[in-house]
C-alpha cells in the first residue's frame, strides 16, 4: 500500500521576555553556609571562619555575574515521511537557548503514546539504546550553548494505526553554574499519523450493477465497450471501424458489431462502530474488531478506487460520519485520513435514521457492511437494507480467537450460549438474502460477489 505524505506538524512554545528564574537549592546552601560562617566568626572572634567563607562567597558572586533573562525554548517535530503500521518512527524534541548565557544542564522529558514503540534515542550527540521495552519517558540530560538548540531524536516503530501523540514534553534548565533554575517549559503534543497496513486485496470483477458512464465493469447497456453483444444493421452514428465486413458481404448490407458499455460501479463501505471486542496487539499481533474493520475498509477502498470505481464510506453509530463517493487517488488519501478517526461508541438510540434517513443510498450501489454482529440493531439494519432492495454483503469482523471475559462460574457456558445465539442470527440474515462472510484478506468476497451479481442479473418472477 502506498501511504500519503503527511505534512510535518510542529508546535512551539514562545519564550517570555522576562521569564522567571528562581534560585536553586545549591544557591540557597551557599548563601546559608556563608552566612553561618560569618555570624560564627563575629560571635566567636575567629578569623579562620572568615577565610573559610570567603572563597564560597566569591565563587557564588562570580557565577551570578551573568544572569539569564529569557526562558528556554521547547518544540516538538516529526518526520514528514509517510508512516504506516510497522514503519520506522522518527520524532524530535528540541531545546533552544535564546539567551546570552549557556545552560549548564537541560533536563527534557516527554510522554509518548503506548503505540509508538521507541527503542533508540540520541540527545546532544550521544546515542542511547532503550531496549525492547522502550523507555522514552525517562529524563534526558544535556548542555545547551548560547544561541544553539539541541535535539532529542527518537526512533522506533509505529505499532498501530491512528493519530498518536508525541508529548506533551517539558524541560527545565539550570544556569550560572547550577545556582539558577528556570520554570518548567511545556510544549503541546504533536500528532503522528499512522495509516493502517493493508494486505494486497483482490476481488472478482463481478458487480451487481454498473451505473456510471465509464469504468472497468461490463454493463448490460449497449455502448462503446469491449464486450461483444452481437451484430446489427448499420445505423446513423455508428463508427466505420465497427463494421463487420464478413457479415456485410454475406447479407449485402452493412452490419456493425454491437458492444456493451464499460461502466464504473459505486461501492459503499459501511462500518459498524456500535461495539468493540478483542484486544489489539498492534501490527503483527492480535487484531480487535476495530483493527479488522479499519484495515479491511482501507483494503477494499484501495482495490475499487484503483479500478476506477466510486467509493463512499459510512459509519453506523451515533456520530454517523460520512465520506461522499468519489474516485481516484485523492479519494484514497481522503479515505485513509477519514479512517484515522474511527472510534467505537455505543448508544442507546437506534442510529439507522441518522445514517440512512436524510441520505439515500444509490439503488445500484454495492453495500459492504463491516460488522462484528455484536448488537441486534446491526442485524436489523442489514435486514432493512436487504428488504429495501439493496445489494448487501456483510463481512464478519469478530476475531475468531475471541475468548470469554472470565473463567469463573457460568462465564464459559454463557459465552457458548451467546455464540449459538449469534450463529442463529447469522443464519436468519442469510435466509433474508444477506450473505455473511468472515474477513480473510484477499479473495474474501469473491464467491459472495459472484452470487450477488448472478442474483442481480437473474430474471424477476411476477414482475417483482
Amino acid at each position: 500500500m502506498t501511504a500519503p505524505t503527511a505534512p510535518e506538524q510542529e508546535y512551539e512554545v514562545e519564550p517570555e521576555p522576562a521569564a522567571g528564574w528562581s534560585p536553586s537549592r545549591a544557591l540557597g546552601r551557599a548563601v546559608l553556609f556563608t552566612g553561618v560562617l560569618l555570624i560564627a566568626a563575629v560571635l566567636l572572634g575567629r578569623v579562620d571562619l572568615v577565610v573559610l567563607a570567603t572563597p564560597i562567597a566569591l565563587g557564588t558572586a562570580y557565577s551570578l555575574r551573568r544572569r539569564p533573562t529569557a526562558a528556554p525554548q521547547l518544540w516538538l517535530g516529526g518526520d514528514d515521511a509517510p508512516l504506516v503500521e510497522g514503519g520506522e518512527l522518527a520524532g524530535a524534541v528540541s531545546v533552544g537557548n535564546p539567551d546570552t548565557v549557556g545552560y549548564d544542564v537541560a533536563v527534557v522529558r516527554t510522554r509518548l503514546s503506548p503505540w509508538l514503540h521507541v527503542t533508540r534515542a540520541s540527545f546532544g550527540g550521544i546515542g542511547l539504546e532503550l531496549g525492547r521495552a522502550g523507555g522514552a519517558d525517562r529524563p534526558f540530560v544535556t548542555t545547551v550553548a548560547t544561541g544553539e538548540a539541541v535535539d532529542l531524536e527518537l526512533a522506533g516503530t509505529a505499532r498501530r494505526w491512528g493519530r498518536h501523540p508525541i508529548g506533551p514534553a517539558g524541560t527545565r534548565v539550570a544556569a550560572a553554574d547550577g545556582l539558577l533554575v528556570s520554570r518548567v517549559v511545556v510544549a503541546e503534543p504533536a500528532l503522528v499519523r499512522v495509516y493502517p497496513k493493508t494486505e494486497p486485496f483482490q476481488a472478482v470483477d463481478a458487480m451487481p450493477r454498473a451505473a456510471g458512464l465509464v469504468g472497468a465493469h461490463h454493463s448490460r447497456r449497449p455502448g462503446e465497450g469491449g464486450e461483444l453483444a452481437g451484430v446489427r444493421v448499420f445505423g446513423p452514428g455508428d463508427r466505420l471501424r465497427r463494421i463487420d465486413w464478413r457479415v456485410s458481404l454475406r447479407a449485402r448490407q452493412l452490419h456493425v458489431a454491437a458492444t456493451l458499455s464499460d461502466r464504473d460501479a459505486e461501492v459503499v463501505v459501511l462500518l459498524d462502530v456500535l461495539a468493540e471486542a478483542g484486544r489489539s496487539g498492534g501490527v503483527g499481533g492480535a487484531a480487535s474488531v476495530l483493527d479488522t474493520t479499519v484495515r479491511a475498509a482501507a483494503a477494499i477502498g484501495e482495490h475499487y478506487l484503483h479500478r476506477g470505481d466510486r467509493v463512499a464510506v459510512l459509519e453506523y453509530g451515533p456520530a454517523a460520519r460520512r465520506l461522499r463517493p468519489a474516485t481516484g487517488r485523492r479519494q484514497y488519501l481522503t479515505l485513509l485520513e477519514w479512517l484515522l478517526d474511527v472510534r467505537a461508541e455505543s448508544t442507546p438510540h437506534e442510529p439507522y435514521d441518522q445514517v440512512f434517513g436524510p441520505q439515500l443510498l444509490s439503488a445500484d450501489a454495492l453495500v459492504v457492511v463491516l460488522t462484528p454482529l455484536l448488537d441486534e440493531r446491526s442485524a436489523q439494519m442489514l435486514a432493512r437494507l436487504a428488504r429495501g432492495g439493496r445489494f448487501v454483503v456483510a463481512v464478519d469482523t469478530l476475531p475468531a480467537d475471541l475468548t470469554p471475559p472470565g473463567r469463573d462460574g457460568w462465564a464459559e457456558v454463557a459465552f457458548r450460549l451467546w455464540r449459538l445465539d449469534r450463529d442463529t442470527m447469522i443464519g436468519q440474515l442469510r435466509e433474508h438474502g444477506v450473505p455473511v462472510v468472515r474477513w480473510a484478506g484477499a479473495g474474501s468476497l469473491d464467491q459472495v460477489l459472484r452470487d450477488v451479481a448472478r442474483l442481480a442479473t437473474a430474471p424477476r418472477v411476477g414482475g417483482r
Side-chain angles (χ1 to χ4, degrees):
M1 182 192 74
T2 304
T5 301
E8 178 180 355
Q9 297 190 7
E10 188 171 292
Y11 301 83
E12 181 174 350
V13 176
E14 296 293 338
E16 297 180 1
W21 287 76
S22 58
S24 66
R25 293 183 180 180
L27 178 57
R29 287 193 296 267
V31 173
L32 178 62
F33 189 69
T34 303
V36 170
L37 289 179
L38 292 178
I39 293 174
V42 172
L43 294 178
L44 300 177
R46 297 181 55 179
V47 181
D48 57 336
L49 296 180
V50 177
V51 175
L52 185 61
T54 299
I56 300 177
L58 293 178
T60 303
Y62 181 80
S63 299
L64 294 176
R65 75 192 188 282
R66 296 179 61 190
R67 302 181 60 181
T69 58
Q73 293 177 328
L74 183 67
W75 60 91
L76 296 170
D79 193 359
D80 57 354
L83 192 58
V84 186
E85 285 181 305
E88 292 295 327
L89 168 71
V93 183
S94 302
V95 183
N97 182 3
D99 213 321
T100 57
V101 179
Y103 297 153
D104 302 316
V105 175
V107 181
V108 179
R109 192 165 188 172
T110 181
R111 292 182 179 179
L112 286 174
S113 168
W115 297 113
L116 300 179
H117 189 73
V118 176
T119 56
R120 299 181 303 278
S122 176
F123 196 27
I126 302 176
L128 299 172
E129 292 291 336
L130 303 181
R132 297 181 59 184
D137 58 344
R138 55 177 288 186
F140 295 90
V141 181
T142 188
T143 60
V144 185
T146 301
E148 294 184 0
V150 179
D151 296 333
L152 169 60
E153 299 178 355
L154 305 174
T157 306
R159 299 288 300 168
R160 189 174 185 256
W161 58 272
R163 304 180 193 272
H164 303 299
I166 297 181
T171 184
R172 195 173 189 184
V173 302
D177 294 332
L179 299 181
L180 297 176
V181 294
S182 71
R183 63 177 177 85
V184 178
V185 178
V186 179
E188 294 299 322
L191 295 179
V192 177
R193 303 175 186 177
V194 182
Y195 298 98
K197 182 180 180 180
T198 59
E199 300 177 359
F201 175 75
Q202 297 292 332
V204 296
D205 191 26
M207 273 289 170
R209 290 175 187 167
L213 298 178
V214 295
H217 301 287
H218 302 310
S219 71
R220 303 178 64 185
R221 300 179 181 180
E224 296 293 330
E227 185 74 10
L228 184 64
V231 179
R232 58 177 175 79
V233 179
F234 182 87
D238 289 335
R239 297 186 180 183
L240 296 179
R241 63 184 181 90
R242 293 288 186 181
I243 296 177
D244 191 326
W245 292 105
R246 293 183 179 180
V247 177
S248 300
L249 290 175
R250 289 198 304 266
R252 297 184 180 275
Q253 187 179 6
L254 288 179
H255 284 70
V256 294
T259 56
L260 298 177
S261 62
D262 294 335
R263 297 172 179 261
D264 65 347
E266 181 176 339
V267 179
V268 178
V269 184
L270 181 59
L271 279 59
D272 181 4
V273 294
L274 290 179
E276 167 71 314
R279 179 171 296 181
S280 176
V283 62
S288 65
V289 167
L290 274 188
D291 290 341
T292 304
T293 300
V294 170
R295 292 165 186 165
I300 294 173
E302 181 183 19
H303 170 73
Y304 286 110
L305 288 172
H306 180 71
R307 297 186 59 85
D309 297 322
R310 287 169 288 122
V311 175
V313 191
L314 299 174
E315 269 190 4
Y316 184 67
R321 296 193 307 135
R322 178 185 178 92
L323 179 64
R324 62 176 182 82
T327 61
R329 177 171 175 79
R330 187 173 187 178
Q331 177 72 355
Y332 175 58
L333 302 182
T334 307
L335 168 65
L336 290 179
E337 193 74 20
W338 190 91
L339 289 174
L340 296 184
D341 297 321
V342 174
R343 299 290 182 271
E345 187 176 358
S346 61
T347 175
H349 306 290
E350 170 59 59
Y352 186 88
D353 294 335
Q354 301 177 17
V355 178
F356 304 106
Q359 300 130 346
L360 298 178
L361 295 176
S362 172
D364 298 324
L366 171 65
V367 184
V368 181
V369 183
L370 302 172
T371 173
L373 291 173
L374 294 174
D375 197 308
E376 187 177 349
R377 291 171 294 180
S378 302
Q380 295 173 356
M381 176 265 295
L382 290 169
R384 290 183 191 178
L385 290 177
R387 287 196 299 266
R390 309 296 180 185
F391 302 105
V392 185
V393 175
V395 179
D396 187 3
T397 58
L398 189 71
D401 56 351
L402 188 66
T403 57
R407 298 289 183 180
D408 300 334
W410 297 91
E412 189 170 351
V413 176
F415 182 76
R416 280 190 285 174
L417 290 175
W418 171 80
R419 277 284 193 183
L420 293 174
D421 183 66
R422 184 174 180 274
D423 293 340
T424 302
M425 181 173 57
I426 293 176
Q428 292 174 348
L429 286 174
R430 288 171 176 163
E431 292 178 359
H432 280 78
V434 180
V436 181
V437 295
R438 180 173 294 278
W439 176 254
S444 299
L445 309 181
D446 283 355
Q447 185 59 44
V448 174
L449 291 179
R450 290 191 187 98
D451 295 339
V452 172
R454 185 165 55 251
L455 291 175
T457 57
R460 298 177 181 266
V461 180
R464 298 172 59 184

